[in-house]
Amino acid sequence: MFTTPEKDTIPWLDFTPDVFFGSTIPFMAPRERVAGSHTVPGDKSITHRALMLAALAPGESRITGALTSLDARSTAAVLRLLGARISPVRTGTSVRVRGNPRFSPPPSALQCGNSGTTTRLMLGLLAGHPFPATLTGDGSLRRRPMRRVTGPLMQMGASIDDGGRDGLPLRITGGSLAPLDWQMPVASAQIKSALLLAGLTGGVEVTLHEPAPTRDHTERLLQHFGFEVASREGILRFAPTGRLVPFELAVPGDPSSAAFLVAAALLAESGEIRITGVGLNPSRIGFLDIMRQMGGRVTAEGVHTPLGEPMGDLVAVASRLSAVDVPAGAIPGVIDEIPILACLAARASGTSRFRSVEELRVKESDRLALMVSNLRAVGVSAAAEGNDLVVVGSEAPLAGRVVTGGDHRIAMAFAVLGRGAGSRIDIDDPACAAVSFPGFADALERLSQVAA
């Protein structure tokens, strides 16, 4: 039987930051040897998209290994308000979704929490539905720009009122849409996916001119259901040739989450770890190339490709790291991993530069400003030079207080950086890691517990 709770219960008791790092007990973990086989939560991007497509497919779909983070639960809660029946998103259980091929008008505002992915992709889905809906979120999400998505959706025929602000809350009224030919101003998987999903629900063709490649989970899933999605020389074309049907999907481990455990292994004094069942989509693992350029010993093994999504194991070995210069063209493919890559650079010999990272300014926080200020706060020389992030490596023990701004990736990156012998890094809001990696503190601690 399906249950449709008003909201998911958040299992905060599964996450015990005060034991390992937090606002009252400085994080200090001198253990430097890592070992063992580990897992990470389900892929965040695939979980969002699988829930959305299942909510539109007639009949019952089953999703195993779904991410159970706050962002994923925000997507499930929004879809329930639109008429889909979704079982609770809980660790260790499959998520069953009984779809509603045409969404129903929501009885209240759609609360997207802290999830930009939920918001932007839902705007695309709602653009093809002929009823009004209001989307809102927490304080951080309300400050994030939305016109880069709402602009092209309005050109397709959706009516959108943002009250004169480039952000939330906003009201969208969808309906009959026109085909779209759009020059994307920035490389963004969220914008691209929103417009493709508008083409899906509106039943119209979409042509996008991408300034650079971005993650392609939406394209792969749509192709699986028979939709024409083709990319050539930076031009992506979608045609509504397919049909959604119920499906079963095992979500691979999130590579962005795996990046934090890989980084912890690289920074260790000795040992190696294996992270099993990780998604290895080429559009998601650019961070591995950068880690290897820094001297990190990390390899992928046992790669296979269910439902068009490559997955396998990552093996990471403790390494000596050197500085890296990351060109602007590589940034869109590693934008979520910049915080942890910058923390690796803080322990690499030499000066690293991450070029044209201005997109960091409009993430869950102004990540560029926070990374610079926090690196300096713990004793690392760092600067924002125009739109570049510059980090000078150091072997000295690090100490200081990190202000996350509620940003999960900053909290996790500095937790990894604080593992060095003699370092004392105090993180003001470690619990925000649950946005994408429930149980992160436990997972990080197990790297060395296994080795003890």
Side-chain angles (χ1 to χ4, degrees):
M1 293 292 291
F2 273 85
T3 59
T4 309
E6 294 182 2
K7 61 181 180 179
D8 284 299
T9 300
I10 308 301
W12 293 109
L13 293 178
D14 291 342
F15 185 78
T16 53
D18 57 323
V19 176
F20 307 112
F21 64 102
S23 58
T24 58
I25 301 175
F27 182 89
M28 183 177 177
R31 293 184 294 270
E32 297 175 329
R33 182 173 179 270
V34 295
S37 180
H38 306 270
T39 60
V40 293
D43 186 279
K44 181 179 177 182
S45 297
I46 295 175
T47 296
H48 282 297
R49 289 158 174 80
L51 287 170
M52 291 177 182
L53 294 184
L56 283 170
E60 182 175 310
S61 297
R62 184 169 176 263
I63 303 168
T64 59
L67 179 65
T68 60
S69 72
L70 304 184
D71 281 8
R73 295 179 182 188
S74 291
T75 289
V78 166
L79 292 170
R80 291 185 188 112
L81 287 174
L82 294 168
R85 300 175 65 189
I86 304 177
S87 63
V89 182
R90 294 176 179 164
T91 302
T93 64
S94 297
V95 181
R96 293 172 297 149
V97 182
R98 185 170 295 280
N100 183 23
R102 296 302 295 175
F103 287 158
S104 304
S108 61
L110 303 176
Q111 173 56 252
C112 300
N114 186 248
S115 178
T117 304
T118 301
T119 309
R120 294 185 175 123
L121 270 59
M122 285 306 311
L123 284 169
L125 291 177
L126 290 168
H129 287 84
F131 54 74
T134 298
L135 289 85
T136 190
D138 67 10
S140 171
L141 184 60
R142 290 196 298 270
R143 292 190 295 270
R144 297 179 68 177
M146 294 294 158
R147 287 182 179 170
R148 53 179 61 181
V149 175
T150 60
L153 291 179
M154 291 174 71
Q155 181 169 311
M156 295 178 77
S159 174
I160 298 174
D161 180 8
D162 63 8
R165 305 171 305 274
D166 183 10
L168 301 181
L170 63 77
R171 182 181 176 89
I172 179 171
T173 303
S176 178
L177 300 182
L180 177 71
D181 191 318
W182 187 256
Q183 182 73 46
M184 294 177 60
V186 296
S188 167
Q190 290 184 4
I191 298 173
K192 173 180 66 176
S193 296
L195 300 178
L196 291 175
L197 293 175
L200 167 69
T201 59
V204 296
E205 295 184 357
V206 173
T207 301
L208 303 175
H209 304 261
E210 292 191 274
T214 58
R215 61 185 61 178
D216 62 356
H217 299 301
T218 303
E219 295 97 304
R220 289 173 181 261
L221 286 170
L222 290 175
Q223 287 171 338
H224 175 74
F225 292 107
F227 293 93
E228 180 182 334
V229 188
S231 180
R232 182 178 180 184
E233 297 180 348
I235 301 176
L236 178 65
R237 302 184 188 279
F238 166 85
T241 53
R243 184 173 68 91
L244 294 179
V245 295
F247 59 90
E248 292 193 4
L249 174 65
V251 178
D254 193 305
S256 294
S257 295
F260 296 98
L261 302 189
V262 169
L266 298 183
L267 292 178
E269 184 174 312
S270 64
E272 72 174 47
I273 64 170
R274 177 181 294 271
I275 310 173
T276 60
V278 179
L280 298 175
N281 184 308
S283 68
R284 294 290 305 283
I285 56 174
F287 70 90
L288 293 178
D289 292 333
I290 295 172
M291 288 177 173
R292 291 172 183 139
Q293 291 170 31
M294 299 177 80
R297 293 183 289 168
V298 54
T299 56
E301 299 181 356
V303 180
H304 57 292
T305 310
L307 276 182
E309 284 286 351
M311 62 185 298
D313 297 350
L314 290 177
V315 178
V317 182
S319 306
R320 295 287 294 177
L321 303 180
S322 301
V324 68
D325 190 319
V326 182
I331 294 300
V334 297
I335 194 67
D336 284 340
E337 291 78 38
I338 294 297
I340 189 57
L341 291 172
C343 285
L344 283 181
R347 287 313 203 188
S349 61
T351 300
S352 295
R353 182 178 290 269
F354 301 86
R355 300 182 180 273
S356 299
V357 294
E358 59 268 23
E359 187 68 11
L360 289 177
R361 298 188 188 278
V362 294
K363 288 294 185 178
E364 285 86 335
S365 62
D366 182 343
R367 278 187 185 154
L368 180 54
L370 278 177
M371 285 304 301
V372 170
S373 63
N374 284 318
L375 286 167
R376 289 175 174 173
V378 301
V380 177
S381 177
E385 297 183 358
N387 288 320
D388 294 355
L389 172 61
V390 180
V391 182
V392 181
S394 170
E395 293 185 353
L398 303 176
R401 182 172 177 79
V402 168
V403 177
T404 65
D407 192 312
H408 54 124
R409 298 195 193 279
I410 288 179
M412 291 187 285
F414 280 91
V416 171
L417 184 59
R419 288 177 64 81
S423 292
R424 298 176 62 87
I425 292 180
D426 177 36
I427 299 171
D428 73 337
D429 183 15
C432 68
V435 165
S436 62
F437 198 148
F440 171 70
D442 290 333
L444 195 62
E445 183 71 3
R446 281 194 296 270
L447 298 182
S448 51
Q449 281 186 336
V450 173

